[in-house]
Each structure stands twice: as C-alpha cells, then as structure tokens.
Amino acid sequence: MRCHEVDYEIIGHDIQLVEVELDPGETVIAEAGAMNYMEQGINFETKMGDGSDPDEGMMSKIFSAAKRTLTGESIFTTHFSNQAHQKQKVAFSAPYPGTIIPLNMAELGEKVICQKDAFVAAALGTKVSITFNKRIGAGFFGGEGFILQKLEGDGMAFIHAGGTLIKKELKGETLRVDTGCLVGFTQGIDYDIQRAGNLKSMVFGGEGLFLATLSGHGTVWLQSLPFSRLADRVIRSAPSMGGSDKGEGSVLGGLGRLIDGD
C-alpha cells in the first residue's frame, strides 16, 4: 500500500466521530480543527499540503494549498503521528451533526469525488485535491458550483454527511436527487443537472429549479439533511431574525428574554 494502513472505530449514532488507531510510526491527516481527542504519544504538526508526495517541492505545495482554498478548506492540514512504542488513538469529528462515512479507497477504485466540505480525515498518503465539473449546467446550478473535492489513494479516508447517510449502488440506473443532498460518488458515475419538471413544478413545487442526475455504475452517497438547509431553517426561526416563538410555551418566555436583554 502507498497509504498508511490504519484501524478505526465509528463512535455514536446520530452525531458521530471516528476514532483512528495508529501503530507506532503511522500518521493520519485531518482538516484543521477536526481533532476531538488524542492519547499520549500522538504528536501533531500543521503542514502545507496533504503529505501524499514526500518529494513535492515548495512551489507545488503552495499551488496545491491555493487550490484547497477554492473548496473553502484551510490551506493547511494537520498530521497526527504515533511516536509512542505501542498503539495509540486519535479521534475526529465533523463541525455539524451527521454521519461519518468510512471509505476503503482500495475497494472503491482509489478515487472518490465528494462535496467541498465533506473531507474529515484520511491515512497519510491520501491525496486531497479538487476537480471541476465538466458540465456547465452542473457548475451553475448544482449547489456546489464547478469545484468538487477529489480523494485519491489506497487507504482509509473519512468523509461526513449531514443527518442520515443513504448509500445507493447504481448498476446502470439513473437517480435524481436534490442538489444539496449529494455527498459523493465513485468513478463510473456521470453527474449532471436537469430541470425539475415543468414550469409549475419548478416555481411552486418547493424542490428547487434543478435536480442532480446521477447515472452509470458505481456508488453514490447521499445526506438527509444538508447543512445549508438546516442553517436556513434555524435562521428563519430565530426571533432576532423575525421568526416566531413556537416552542417557547408561555408569555414568561418572552418576558425572560426582555429581562435578559435578548
């Protein structure tokens, strides 16, 4: 294997984290701020780049880091290495409620395309880069724009889905989904955007103007609750943004906020 061979355990049901077990000398990379806890003997270092190419020059690292900023990620990744003489563990969690998806990249054709903020962690040797939507429609109306994340390697990688995870195996079928519900897909899946029904359905259906169309042979991961949908509902329900006080229960709730200055 090119990548380090790490063991792992997914902890929790609805708001999960992944605990990675490292043998002495093994390393796992993660997004900045994803670490939850680590045992004694684990040392971490922030580096520019994912470390997949040890001989990569400084200019190449800067170029790779610049591409990462296009996906909304930090230009740095954190490398967690076990420098003890026995196995030690480090855990990572996503920034909002959802499900951790373990990807055995060797079994998935060594390449997975995913939404821009899905990556959580991966074994050292995994290349984290960007790819561009080739379809103009997918770029303009796909929710994620022209830029998606690409993971390459033969080890374990971990991505995150909001809410409940749905895994679909396509064998020549076509699947139409809300553009925000797409988390990732393997090679062999063709991704495009199509109009959502007739004009009346597009305007009054509440499902958006366009749907993502996935077809071919491969695996597709979907999420039941995209973070953008959750954030939109929270903002619209916030009293400070003009939302109602449903669930507060009584006049005392409003008086309490007045007294507190909220």
Side-chain angles (χ1 to χ4, degrees):
M1 294 180 63
R2 300 186 306 275
C3 299
H4 287 193
E5 189 173 1
V6 301
D7 298 317
Y8 72 94
E9 179 185 1
I10 304 295
I11 300 175
H13 299 283
D14 300 320
I15 306 177
Q16 296 182 329
L17 58 83
V18 55
E19 186 181 71
V20 179
E21 184 179 72
L22 300 176
D23 291 335
E26 286 185 339
T27 298
V28 62
I29 63 171
E31 282 298 329
M35 191 273 291
N36 195 274
Y37 61 84
M38 57 183 175
E39 295 180 342
Q40 187 175 4
I42 301 288
N43 288 347
F44 65 93
E45 181 180 1
T46 300
K47 297 183 179 181
M48 185 178 294
D50 52 37
S52 58
D53 183 3
D55 300 323
E56 186 178 28
M58 180 55 66
M59 291 304 298
S60 296
K61 290 182 179 180
I62 294 174
F63 182 67
S64 298
K67 290 194 296 183
R68 280 174 54 80
T69 62
L70 295 177
T71 67
E73 305 288 1
S74 168
I75 64 174
F76 299 99
T77 58
T78 307
H79 294 227
F80 296 84
S81 302
N82 182 8
Q83 298 184 358
H85 298 292
Q86 63 276 347
K87 295 182 177 182
Q88 299 291 358
K89 298 177 181 178
V90 55
F92 306 97
S93 60
Y96 56 92
T99 307
I100 299 290
I101 308 171
L103 304 176
N104 188 335
M105 299 293 291
E107 297 178 355
L108 297 171
E110 299 191 5
K111 182 167 73 172
V112 171
I113 307 298
C114 57
Q115 66 176 358
K116 291 184 291 186
D117 59 350
F119 175 69
V120 177
L124 180 65
T126 304
K127 184 177 181 180
V128 183
S129 59
I130 65 172
T131 186
F132 295 91
N133 283 325
K134 297 179 181 178
R135 303 288 181 87
I136 293 179
F140 280 117
F141 308 113
E144 299 298 333
F146 284 99
I147 302 169
L148 296 171
Q149 241 175 8
K150 179 169 63 174
L151 307 180
E152 296 176 281
D154 58 357
M156 292 300 305
F158 306 93
I159 61 176
H160 179 258
T164 299
L165 167 69
I166 305 99
K167 182 179 178 180
K168 296 285 188 178
E169 297 289 346
L170 299 187
K171 299 179 180 179
E173 303 96 338
T174 297
L175 186 67
R176 302 180 73 194
V177 303
D178 181 276
T179 55
C181 292
L182 179 62
V183 179
F185 51 91
T186 60
Q187 298 183 79
I189 297 295
D190 184 57
Y191 170 53
D192 198 7
I193 297 296
Q194 295 184 0
R195 191 179 67 183
N198 56 35
L199 181 60
K200 183 173 68 174
S201 299
M202 292 172 66
V203 176
F204 302 108
E207 301 299 333
L209 301 181
F210 299 91
L211 295 175
T213 301
L214 304 158
S215 58
H217 295 78
T219 304
V220 176
W221 293 275
L222 307 175
Q223 57 189 357
S224 67
L225 185 60
F227 179 69
S228 58
R229 186 183 297 178
L230 173 62
D232 181 64
R233 181 59 60 90
V234 170
I235 291 173
R236 284 193 287 121
S237 300
S240 61
M241 300 297 293
S244 64
D245 291 343
K246 288 186 290 186
E248 293 282 331
S250 70
V251 177
L252 292 179
L255 291 176
R257 285 196 307 278
L258 288 174
I259 295 173
D260 291 338
D262 294 336

